């Protein structure tokens, strides 16, 4: 479990680095996005991964790894937007945005560690394509909850789905790192 914790931290650090660089370039322009738009952006990323996996080729230079990192980052953005609501302008400083990023990344890790304990790291035996399918399923669940104005009868809310999307994407990044290290 300690190895997983370290691998999670490494993957999140790479995602956070990109998030921070994009904050420098664009500011917190994503603050104008309503939660539904964030969900659709994650859908675009996950759908592209599935397309690449199915076709076996990608014609744009960014591959699966960059899309998984984008899913992590948009998942965090989604959680921030759920907490703060969307804004009319880029209203967060870099420092505040990174503070919120770290808060949700830590919460995702805590959830992952708890589930890893209960499921005995079953994710390590899963195929990469399963992570993609599970992320897509979580997106469709989120869209359905959004169409019900966030109200559920028995299911977890939108935030739980964003956390799961983040964690499945991190699992994919860890698996890709392990595959690259074994070559």
């Amino acid at each position: 479990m300690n190895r997983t914790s370290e691998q999670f931290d490494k993957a999140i650090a790479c995602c956070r680095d990109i998030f921070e660089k994009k904050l420098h370039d664009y500011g917190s322009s994503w603050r104008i996005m309503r939660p539904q738009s964030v969900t659709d952006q994650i859908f675009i990323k996950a759908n592209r991964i599935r397309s690449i996996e199915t076709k076996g080729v990608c014609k744009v230079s960014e591959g699966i790894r960059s899309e998984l990192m984008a899913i992590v980052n948009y998942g965090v953005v989604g959680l921030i937007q759920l907490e703060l609501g969307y804004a009319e302008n880029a209203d967060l400083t870099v420092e505040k945005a990174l503070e919120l990023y770290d808060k949700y990344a830590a919460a995702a890790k805590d959830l992952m560690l708890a589930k890893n304990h209960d499921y005995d790291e079953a994710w390590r035996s899963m195929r990469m394509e399963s992570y993609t399918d599970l992320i897509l399923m979580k997106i469709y669940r989120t869209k359905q909850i959004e169409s019900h104005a966030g109200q559920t009868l028995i299911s977890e809310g939108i935030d739980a789905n964003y956390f799961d999307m983040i964690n499945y994407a991190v699992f994919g990044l860890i698996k890709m790192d392990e595959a690259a290290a074994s070559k």
Side-chain angles (χ1 to χ4, degrees):
M1 192 78 77
N2 192 34
R3 180 174 125 220
T4 300
S5 178
E6 291 170 6
Q7 290 173 308
F8 184 97
D9 291 344
K10 180 182 175 199
I12 287 291
C14 292
C15 295
R16 186 185 188 277
D17 181 60
I18 288 177
F19 185 83
E20 185 173 9
K21 287 175 179 168
K22 288 194 175 199
L23 274 173
H24 175 270
D25 290 349
Y26 306 129
S28 61
S29 57
W30 47 267
R31 286 285 292 129
I32 68 160
M33 294 177 77
R34 291 169 284 189
Q36 299 89 334
S37 298
V38 176
T39 302
D40 285 343
Q41 190 63 34
I42 298 170
F43 170 76
I44 290 167
K45 302 301 183 181
N47 198 61
R48 181 165 183 265
I49 293 170
R50 188 169 177 157
S51 175
I52 293 168
E53 289 170 346
T54 302
K55 295 172 185 169
V57 66
C58 110
K59 293 193 172 189
V60 177
S61 63
E62 294 179 338
I64 291 173
R65 181 176 181 76
S66 64
E67 299 295 9
L68 289 170
M69 293 172 78
I71 290 170
V72 170
N73 288 342
Y74 277 113
V76 171
V77 164
L79 291 165
I80 293 169
Q81 296 299 78
L82 287 175
E83 177 183 336
L84 301 180
Y86 66 91
E88 296 300 321
N89 54 51
D91 64 348
L92 290 181
T93 64
V94 169
E95 295 76 21
K96 182 63 178 176
L98 291 173
E99 176 187 319
L100 289 165
Y101 188 99
D102 293 342
K103 170 185 169 181
Y104 286 111
K109 181 179 180 182
D110 289 345
L111 176 64
M112 181 275 300
L113 291 172
K115 286 186 174 187
N116 257 4
H117 174 270
D118 290 356
Y119 290 98
D120 287 329
E121 296 202 326
W123 67 271
R124 288 193 178 275
S125 298
M126 293 170 60
R127 297 176 198 109
M128 285 290 293
E129 295 83 2
S130 294
Y131 304 138
T132 306
D133 291 349
L134 287 166
I135 291 167
L136 284 165
M137 179 190 67
K138 295 291 183 176
I139 292 165
Y140 282 110
R141 287 181 176 182
T142 301
K143 286 182 173 202
Q144 186 67 29
I145 295 168
E146 289 169 346
S147 73
H148 294 303
Q151 300 302 310
T152 60
L153 297 177
I154 192 169
S155 305
E156 297 175 307
I158 294 170
D159 59 337
N161 285 287
Y162 281 149
F163 278 120
D164 286 345
M165 290 178 222
I166 291 167
N167 284 333
Y168 285 127
V170 169
F171 292 158
L173 291 168
I174 291 170
K175 287 274 237 183
M176 290 182 86
D177 288 346
E178 287 178 338
S182 70
K183 288 183 179 181

